[in-house]
Amino acid sequence: MEKKIFVTQPSLPPLKEFVKSLEKIWDNKWLTNNGKFHQELEKKLSDYLGVKYISLFSNGTLALITALQTLRITGEVITTPYSFVATTHALHWNGIKPVFCDIEAKTMNINAEKIEALITPKTTAILPVHVYGNPCDVKKIEEIADIYGLKVIYDAAHAFNVKLEDESILNFGDLSILSFHATKVFNTIEGGAIISPDAKTKKRIDFLKNFGFADETTVIAPGINAKMNEVQSAFGLLQLKYVDEQIKKRQEVAYHYRKNLENINGLNFLEDLENIKHNYAYFPIFIDYKKYGKSRDEVYEILKKENINGRRYFYPLISNFPTYKGLPSANKSNLPIANKIAQEVICLPMYADLEKNIIEKIAKILKNN
Ligand code: T4K
């Protein structure tokens, strides 16, 4: 049987190098709780990403939950329904009411022009997502947050090393979170991080991810256990050596897709944005049923039959899941663009080692339908 092609394939460091790291961990007999590899990864990542402070986490979801705790966010938070469900779940786990704002069709990010109308006396923050690694309208969002005294936490799970006019996108807002899940551009198997602007905030984050312990006998807050361990950190240090090469290869994959998919009536894809250093985390296409002649779900199934397993990121919309669909802001009439895009999207396979002939095969299937 022909091999299955998945939406992504994790990048892995050379096994021999990882074994050497494991030997060191065995020698150190230090497995977690801010060990040597953890400290080194924090240092190397903050240098590489061009950010002031980074705190490593066991996954991106716990980083999000802790980011909200860090800034003591309560009440209502304006967010996007077009994301992975973890974004809104993090609000729910903090007892915060999500208020969904529609997206704009160029980047699939929260429509900054629509935020102001959703602000109430209970609003304390905005939680936008840099979807597919494309930056939000960070300047407009900052302007609104400043006027209304709101905090901004960016879910930058997809935005590893993305830059806006040479500045890391992670430096915008009050905090940003990253995911280092196996399926991401940079992975530590499971993992995540919070980017913070000053030492005081980093200290609070580091207490919170370690049960709230400030020292052996002082607990400053009801923290959680969200620490990254030494095996994950050592894995991450090796990954970092190869990540530029991986992003370069992803860029080539994206260019090859674009070349092969141009001029298909009713099939759209995203182009690079101006002044942005992209990381090519995903390759979404959008099927316009009326022009293409087949629905997104039909295309998804046709690809699947050919062993091409795309994913409908992000369908269903978070606002249509049972937990959230009863919220007034989840009403479809408030979220027309997000609902439309969620019906059109398929993320095609995207990873550094995706072979050109597979891209060409996918393009051929999409052209012949
Ligand atoms: N915010 C945003 C905007 C996010 O996108 C995410 C996660 C988060 C927050 C939360 O961060 P984490 O807590 O996850 O760090 C996947 C990932 O699990 C998830 O991390 C990611 N976003 C989301 C967009 O995609 P699933 O349920 O689609 O994963 P799964 O297991 O179906 O994997 C997708 C494909 O990847 C599989 O079909 C096969 C391939 N795969 C997967 C794994 C795990 C492999 O080839 N090898 C592997 O080891 O959520």
Side-chain angles (χ1 to χ4, degrees):
M1 203 179 108
E2 220 183 318
K3 86 168 177 182
K4 266 193 181 171
I5 304 296
F6 293 113
V7 69
T8 185
Q9 181 176 285
S11 51
L12 292 161
L15 186 56
K16 278 192 183 150
E17 290 187 34
F18 188 46
V19 170
K20 275 192 199 151
S21 299
L22 288 176
E23 282 167 0
K24 282 189 192 150
I25 295 173
W26 259 239
D27 286 346
N28 293 342
K29 299 194 174 37
W30 192 275
L31 302 183
T32 184
N33 291 21
N34 201 24
K36 276 188 187 155
F37 285 96
H38 181 285
Q39 287 172 25
E40 192 183 338
L41 183 59
E42 283 200 345
K43 169 91 192 63
K44 292 223 162 112
L45 269 177
S46 58
D47 290 347
Y48 175 82
L49 294 170
V51 301
K52 279 212 176 113
Y53 295 95
I54 186 163
S55 300
L56 299 177
F57 274 73
S58 47
N59 62 63
T61 306
L62 282 168
L64 260 176
I65 290 173
T66 308
L68 292 157
Q69 287 277 326
T70 304
L71 302 179
R72 299 180 179 85
I73 306 297
T74 56
E76 294 178 4
V77 169
I78 298 170
T79 189
T80 171
Y82 193 78
S83 180
F84 190 59
V85 72
T87 309
T88 310
H89 281 353
L91 296 171
H92 192 84
W93 276 69
N94 275 295
I96 296 163
K97 182 175 170 188
V99 175
F100 295 113
C101 179
D102 205 6
I103 61 169
E104 44 104 0
K106 191 175 169 207
T107 60
M108 320 303 154
N109 289 331
I110 196 164
N111 187 336
E113 301 294 334
K114 295 200 168 163
I115 292 176
E116 238 170 320
L118 298 170
I119 297 173
T120 75
K122 289 188 181 154
T123 311
T124 57
I126 309 169
L127 175 58
V129 180
H130 302 300
V131 179
Y132 309 131
N134 280 326
C136 293
D137 187 348
V138 286
K139 288 175 188 160
K140 175 79 188 163
I141 292 170
E142 188 175 316
E143 209 179 289
I144 298 167
D146 284 350
I147 293 172
Y148 290 89
L150 305 176
K151 300 285 186 197
V152 181
I153 298 175
Y154 281 106
D155 180 338
H158 304 171
F160 184 86
N161 209 28
V162 169
K163 298 214 160 98
L164 168 63
E165 289 159 4
D166 285 334
E167 167 82 45
S168 170
I169 200 65
L170 306 170
N171 288 332
F172 291 87
D174 295 281
L175 298 173
S176 290
I177 76 96
L178 286 166
S179 164
F180 303 149
H181 181 259
T183 56
K184 297 292 192 286
V185 170
F186 169 84
N187 87 76
T188 57
I189 308 173
E190 291 272 2
I194 303 182
I195 311 302
S196 53
D198 54 68
K200 222 165 84 184
T201 311
K202 173 168 167 56
K203 209 170 190 183
R204 177 165 164 78
I205 295 165
D206 290 347
F207 292 160
L208 285 174
K209 75 173 192 187
N210 185 27
F211 312 98
F213 276 115
D215 60 39
E216 212 178 305
T217 52
T218 317
V219 170
I220 55 105
I224 200 160
N225 181 1
K227 291 168 268 119
M228 181 180 279
N229 67 46
E230 286 294 89
V231 176
Q232 288 170 289
S233 307
F235 191 90
L237 277 167
L238 296 177
Q239 297 282 61
L240 202 52
K241 285 174 36 183
Y242 303 98
V243 72
D244 283 338
E245 188 186 316
Q246 296 278 314
I247 294 175
K248 182 91 198 62
K249 283 172 146 189
R250 282 174 174 272
Q251 182 184 34
E252 282 160 20
V253 169
Y255 287 2
H256 203 60
Y257 265 129
R258 286 176 194 160
K259 196 171 90 189
N260 282 273
L261 294 176
E262 62 188 4
N263 301 326
I264 303 181
N265 195 23
L267 186 153
N268 301 307
F269 49 80
L270 302 177
E271 294 286 357
D272 284 1
L273 299 166
E274 250 178 70
N275 299 325
I276 305 295
K277 180 176 180 285
H278 289 275
N279 67 3
Y280 306 95
Y282 294 87
F283 195 87
I285 57 165
F286 306 91
I287 306 289
D288 178 336
Y289 175 55
K290 281 193 192 135
K291 289 189 189 152
Y292 189 76
K294 281 203 167 62
S295 72
R296 182 278 311 274
D297 288 341
E298 284 174 287
V299 178
Y300 173 78
E301 293 301 334
I302 289 166
L303 287 169
K304 214 168 165 182
K305 275 201 193 101
E306 300 282 345
N307 280 323
I308 308 294
N309 292 269
R311 285 300 278 268
R312 286 161 286 187
Y313 297 136
F314 291 102
Y315 163 85
L317 278 189
I318 303 176
S319 50
N320 293 334
F321 283 121
T323 318
Y324 305 113
K325 70 176 184 197
L327 292 168
S329 65
N331 198 304
K332 287 189 178 167
S333 62
N334 294 330
L335 307 167
I337 309 292
N339 275 283
K340 177 176 178 284
I341 301 291
Q343 291 299 332
E344 294 184 348
V345 68
I346 306 178
C347 284
L348 295 180
M350 165 50 94
Y351 46 89
D353 293 326
L354 184 63
E355 295 94 338
K356 284 197 166 160
N357 66 318
I358 308 262
I359 299 171
E360 286 152 20
K361 176 183 160 177
I362 294 171
K364 207 167 155 194
I365 298 168
L366 291 169
K367 265 183 201 146
N368 294 342
N369 274 285

